[in-house]
Amino acid sequence: MSAQVLYGLVKLPLAGYAVVTFVLIQVLFLGITLFLHREQAHDALELHPAVRHFFRFWLWFSSGTITKQWVAVHRKHHVHADQPVDPHSPVIYGLKAVVLTGYELYVAAARDPVVQDHYGRGTPDDWIERHLYSRFPTLGLVLFVVTELVLFGIPAIVMVAVHLVAQPFFAAGVINGLGHAVGYRSFETDSAATNIVPWGLLIAGEELHNNHHAFPRSARFSVQRWEVDPGWMVVRLLSVLGLARVKYVAPTPHRVREHALDIGTVQALAVNRMHVLRDYARRVIRPVCREVAEHDANAPRSARLSQLLVSHPKLLGEEGMRRLHHALEQYEVLRAVVDFRERLQLTWNEAYVNPGNAVLQLREWCAQAESSGIRGLREFAQRLRTYLPAPAGLEA
């Protein structure tokens, strides 16, 4: 048997096979994040029909993914994140189970017709979807394997194996598992989602999972200036080429020098509420918890106390809620900062119903915060006066 047959039509050095494998996997990840995730599941952008169909084909060809199933499972995950009916939560199933068998959990949910019908609406339903992509999902994989073998011969065995493992392990196990257990949290959401690393260089930005749960409709997963979202870079490139249209990105607070509180302020706070809550935790709750811990030797450690007050109640569990209630009963200053936070949230909720009344509530809130005797609250109230809606044309 000739070497040409053993090594296929394209013979490469060892590094060449590695590069080709990496590039093909990255195209797969781009299809997942841009087409399945950002466009189909969350309607954050609109891809050009040619780009959309390329990703549809590549996902079918190289992974056998059915669009409606993937979108349905992901939407259900967002609706019930880290709750008992979440299809793949490490909080429910355990981290090891999701990392190692996350794809099996996905498949079990994806094959449920009720899940597909309820959460999979609006996905492609044209002739090729009905008669090829959804009807024969494994055919694409067979053609992919044959194509790799014809092109690269024996090395394709390893190339295909790595490719087929990449999606279930990284896109399912790592993101759905580690992305709810390991890393940092920029925003306190009602799920345990984390940013695994600030530079999403391996899985096209999907590593920034906490940011995504905080702003699920955003086409850009990076929020902090030092975070990197390669998927967003590709979106920007496609936009410049006229091949994509961004519908929504996470807001960036627009702040000016202190000014009078008005409807613009209330609207800006409502739009940027996740940023405002993050700022409140950093500038009010954490300093107050440090003072409590410093002045009372019997108080919980500052970090633990802060976590109790900052975390969403859904994430605390019965024991966490018991500790929270005990701390609030014991320390008046903690009750005060929690009460002020809840009233502030009511203020921007009112902004969507009665903006004029919301302005009055905000002014009263600031006046009470400034006279509360709590330094962090006083300074935070002054900081709220710097928020304004972003000027027209300024990217959020």
Side-chain angles (χ1 to χ4, degrees), residues 175-188:
I175 298 303
N176 295 331
L178 298 183
H180 283 255
V182 177
Y184 66 98
R185 287 168 63 84
S186 293
F187 302 96
E188 288 299 329

Side-chain angles (χ1 to χ4, degrees), residues 56-113:
R56 284 176 64 192
F57 167 78
W58 187 254
L59 287 161
W60 170 78
F61 179 63
S62 67
S63 71
T65 300
I66 298 175
T67 301
K68 185 174 184 177
Q69 291 183 353
W70 194 100
V71 169
V73 173
H74 184 72
R75 287 175 178 169
K76 183 178 181 181
H77 163 64
H78 270 270
V79 173
H80 303 287
D82 294 320
Q83 301 303 307
V85 291
D86 185 334
H88 44 60
S89 169
V91 176
I92 306 302
Y93 296 100
L95 179 60
K96 181 179 179 180
V98 175
V99 171
L100 298 180
T101 64
Y103 186 71
E104 286 79 1
L105 293 173
Y106 158 79
V107 170
R111 290 177 176 172
D112 185 343

